[in-house]
Amino acid sequence: MQRRDFVKMMAASLVVMNTPAIAALNTKTGKRKKLIWVVLRGAMDSLHTIIPKTDSDYKTLRPKLSKNILTDALHLNDDFAFHPELKHFYQLYKSKQLSPIISVGTGYPKRSHFDGQDFLESGLTTMDHDTGWLGRALNNFKAQPDSNAIAIANSVPISLRETDKVSTWFPTKLKDADESIYDALLNLYQDDELLLSRLEEGISTQDMVGKKSSVKKGSFIELAQSCGRFLKGNTGTDCAMLEVGGWDTHNNQLYRLKRQLQQLDQGIQALQKELGDDWDNTAVVIASEFGRTAKENGTGGTDHGTGGAMFVLGGAVSGGEVLGEWPGLAEEQLFKGRDLQPTTSTFSWIGAVLQQHWQLSNQQVEAIFPGNAPYKHTMINS
């Protein structure tokens, strides 16, 4: 079998595989509901991202950091503003497709990045590396039972463990193989069912994402573009996980977070563009393992903290407001006198998105996030 014949066959089979589900979803829009989970690894500084501009203690705690971002900050409401680099986020907020959520926490009691990320991804009251909240949610997504997930990663992250409906993809640093090599391998493996199926799966995945890109290889922007290619259309891939590191800003935070937020902002813009019309049916949830100290340190940065922030955005999202409860930055209002106090649960916000976007029941959400009931706030357009 030649590679081009295989690709044609796979395309035809995908149409056949998805036809029953498409018919079942044609009750209103005919579009499949997409969910994308983005983890910011390293503890994003929420106070540098969603700026509490009217809290009088902010400038006192951060005289150097605040001075350089307040002037050009993007006005959200009377109390908060976005970092100046979040230009596309700001446009989404103004068009009611994005809501930032302030002062959130997962309940993780310490300040270890690795354990904090594992806790965030497992979604349980105690860490379990074998099961993740997104994998459990996908198993409970009965409205689209044929939905699959893709992790833009080298291996299946904790978030997607528990389900067998997941594959992975990450751009290789090796030179692209010639077409003739794929043809030779297809012929070589034709008598080995396992090797042939793995090769076919790889070729199919590579063809879905394409090879051409004008942005830096492996950057979040490229990964987000590729994610959009995987999810658009009725292929059955309706869920994805992205991750981006570099948020651990103990020093030189002004420059480093400017770069990070610019990359995040442009990546989401690229994702939206790639999804096209499917953006209207998409919800994106972005969170980090915890926040950072309220006070800047002596090296132009901040240290590991507790309360953080998250974002819910997308064409399916009912946004345009700053959600959550602001606890204040006075010393007596800080967690242990040093960190932003978490006032709401990261998991309960995600549970609300799952319940409204994927129509999961209270019981299903409770099984995904034990002890964290979904909030009643409207997160998704009806």
Side-chain angles (χ1 to χ4, degrees), residues 310-323:
M310 60 187 292
F311 300 93
V312 179
L313 57 100
V317 169
S318 176
E321 59 182 324
V322 179
L323 303 178

Side-chain angles (χ1 to χ4, degrees), residues 127-343:
M127 274 186 292
D128 185 339
H129 295 123
D130 296 324
T131 177
W133 70 260
L134 189 52
R136 298 193 295 276
L138 192 60
N139 285 343
N140 280 280
F141 189 18
K142 305 304 181 186
Q144 290 175 196
D146 62 337
S147 286
N148 294 299
I150 185 159
I152 311 299
N154 286 310
S155 60
V156 177
I158 291 175
S159 294
L160 278 163
R161 294 175 191 170
E162 181 78 18
T163 183
D164 58 1
K165 300 191 293 183
V166 58
S167 58
T168 64
W169 174 87
F170 200 80
T172 177
K173 294 182 179 179
L174 300 175
K175 187 178 179 180
D176 291 335
D178 185 84
E179 295 273 323
S180 61
I181 294 178
Y182 290 121
D183 290 341
L185 288 172
L186 285 167
N187 288 328
L188 180 64
Y189 294 164
Q190 61 183 330
D191 295 324
D192 189 312
E193 185 176 346
L194 178 60
L195 285 176
L196 184 60
S197 65
R198 296 291 165 79
L199 178 60
E200 290 171 346
E201 183 180 342
I203 293 174
S204 178
T205 301
Q206 182 62 39
D207 271 42
M208 286 177 67
V209 74
K211 295 177 181 177
K212 295 181 179 179
S213 176
S214 59
V215 299
K216 184 179 178 182
K217 202 163 191 174
S219 70
F220 179 68
I221 300 171
E222 187 209 23
L223 300 182
Q225 280 180 333
S226 300
C227 179
R229 291 178 194 136
F230 280 120
L231 262 66
K232 67 182 176 183
N234 292 323
T235 65
T237 302
D238 300 319
C239 175
M241 177 176 170
L242 284 157
E243 49 192 303
V244 54
W247 300 92
D248 193 15
T249 50
H250 290 284
N251 54 56
N252 198 18
Q253 178 166 304
L254 278 173
Y255 168 74
R256 294 172 66 190
L257 267 192
K258 178 181 179 181
R259 182 188 59 192
Q260 288 293 115
L261 292 171
Q262 184 182 64
Q263 183 180 204
L264 178 65
D265 191 70
Q266 293 179 0
I268 294 300
Q269 187 174 18
L271 172 68
Q272 179 181 357
K273 182 179 180 181
E274 201 61 46
L275 280 169
D277 291 342
D278 280 308
W279 175 256
D280 296 339
N281 224 35
T282 296
V284 182
V285 179
I286 303 174
S288 198
E289 64 265 33
F290 44 69
R292 307 191 72 81
T293 49
K295 186 178 181 180
E296 65 187 27
N297 62 25
T299 56
T302 52
D303 301 316
H304 300 182
T306 304
M310 60 187 292
F311 300 93
V312 179
L313 57 100
V317 169
S318 176
E321 59 182 324
V322 179
L323 303 178
E325 300 173 20
W326 182 244
L329 293 175
E331 184 174 358
E332 67 275 13
Q333 295 170 319
L334 296 176
F335 180 73
K336 295 186 177 181
R338 69 189 293 277
D339 301 339
L340 180 66
Q341 177 76 48
T343 55

Side-chain angles (χ1 to χ4, degrees), residues 102-108 289-290 306-309 342-347 372:
I102 55 172
S103 307
V104 298
T106 62
Y108 173 66
E289 64 265 33
F290 44 69
T306 304
T343 55
T344 56
S345 165
T346 303
F347 297 144
N372 289 280

Side-chain angles (χ1 to χ4, degrees), residues 336-368:
K336 295 186 177 181
R338 69 189 293 277
D339 301 339
L340 180 66
Q341 177 76 48
T343 55
T344 56
S345 165
T346 303
F347 297 144
S348 290
W349 288 113
I350 300 174
V353 173
L354 290 174
Q355 187 169 63
Q356 295 171 36
H357 192 48
W358 278 5
Q359 287 85 51
L360 302 192
S361 67
N362 282 329
Q363 292 74 21
Q364 288 171 319
V365 175
E366 171 66 22
I368 295 165

